[in-house]
Amino acid sequence: MTKAEKTRQFIIEETAYLFNTKGAAATSLSDITEATGLTKGSIYGNFKNKDEVALAVFEHNAYKVYQEIKKSISKDNQTQRERLLAIVDLYKTQWSMFFELGGCPLLNTATEADDTFPELKQAVIKTFSGLANIFIKILEKGQENKEFKTDIDIESYAYLFISLIEGGMLLGKTTGKIKHLHNSLDRIAIIINSEITL
């Protein structure tokens, strides 16, 4: 990495928690300089404005979540059912990782992203679509392998799983009771084992 690339990455990493917890609109340039210890000139030397920092931070946080999911389903000899359950297990056992980020960055940013920040909204949509595609590919492969029923609506199940995960994360983080997340994850496991598996 060049010096400029290292500085840019430093800014992203040092403000990741800040943006995820405070939000793009409420985070000021002063907040960014305080979190990084850099001057305003250094920030603007690497990003054209605060919105560009916010967008880069979201993509950084979302990528971390994506990588953890990919890692959980990359074990050799996993069946497709086991891959779905591995994602459930990831959220069940590693929930503190998401809470340490200040909550799920997908959910936090989605609730803030609207028509006033279209670039961020599009990034959130793209990320949710990418997450859904992970589920869709697993479900499709499971159908090919005759693990899953062929008459199920794959896309609907993919987005249902995301809704249950994100809803559980929201309730768990807001109330401080992780059981809400576990209830959602247990429901996904029931759906996998009882509704879609042959």
Side-chain angles (χ1 to χ4, degrees):
M1 292 176 72
T2 65
K3 183 178 179 182
E5 288 170 336
K6 287 179 180 178
T7 302
R8 185 180 172 90
Q9 188 62 26
F10 173 78
I11 294 167
I12 291 169
E13 290 177 358
E14 292 301 306
T15 59
Y17 180 82
L18 175 67
F19 274 100
N20 196 40
T21 53
K22 197 168 184 179
T27 299
S28 66
L29 183 59
S30 295
D31 291 329
I32 297 171
T33 58
E34 185 177 337
T36 60
L38 299 175
T39 64
K40 291 180 181 180
S42 294
I43 304 300
Y44 282 135
N46 289 277
F47 296 92
K48 63 181 181 183
N49 54 39
K50 188 191 76 170
D51 284 355
E52 191 175 79
V53 182
L55 186 58
V57 166
F58 168 72
E59 290 172 347
H60 168 79
N61 284 337
Y63 182 74
K64 287 176 72 173
V65 174
Y66 183 82
Q67 285 298 101
E68 288 299 321
I69 292 172
K70 293 295 283 186
K71 193 192 316 181
S72 74
I73 60 174
S74 63
K75 296 180 178 65
D76 292 336
N77 302 318
Q78 274 180 315
T79 66
Q80 302 311 308
R81 175 180 161 277
E82 287 170 342
R83 284 195 166 93
L84 289 180
L85 292 173
I87 297 173
V88 172
D89 189 60
L90 169 69
Y91 279 92
K92 186 171 278 190
T93 60
Q94 302 297 320
W95 60 267
S96 61
M97 172 191 71
F98 297 100
F99 282 27
E100 285 165 8
L101 286 173
C104 178
L106 279 65
L107 177 65
N108 288 355
T109 309
T111 56
E112 182 184 21
D114 56 24
D115 294 332
T116 63
F117 197 161
E119 295 87 0
L120 186 59
K121 183 177 181 179
Q122 286 305 310
V124 172
I125 292 170
K126 182 180 177 182
T127 302
F128 274 122
S129 178
L131 181 55
N133 281 334
I134 292 174
F135 284 113
I136 288 169
K137 287 179 181 178
I138 294 172
L139 290 165
E140 287 176 341
K141 188 70 173 176
Q143 285 183 328
E144 292 174 18
N145 296 346
K146 302 191 185 310
E147 292 180 53
F148 302 139
K149 297 174 183 177
T150 57
D151 61 345
I152 60 172
D153 185 336
I154 285 176
E155 185 177 5
S156 292
Y157 273 107
Y159 280 98
L160 174 61
F161 294 158
I162 293 171
S163 297
L164 286 167
I165 290 169
E166 295 299 338
M169 290 287 286
L170 172 63
L171 282 172
K173 181 72 168 61
T174 303
T175 65
K177 295 179 180 178
I178 200 61
K179 70 176 183 179
H180 296 305
L181 173 59
H182 285 186
N183 286 342
S184 292
L185 297 171
D186 289 343
R187 177 55 55 186
I188 295 174
I190 290 170
I191 291 170
I192 294 167
N193 291 321
S194 301
E195 286 188 28
I196 69 172
T197 299
L198 287 169

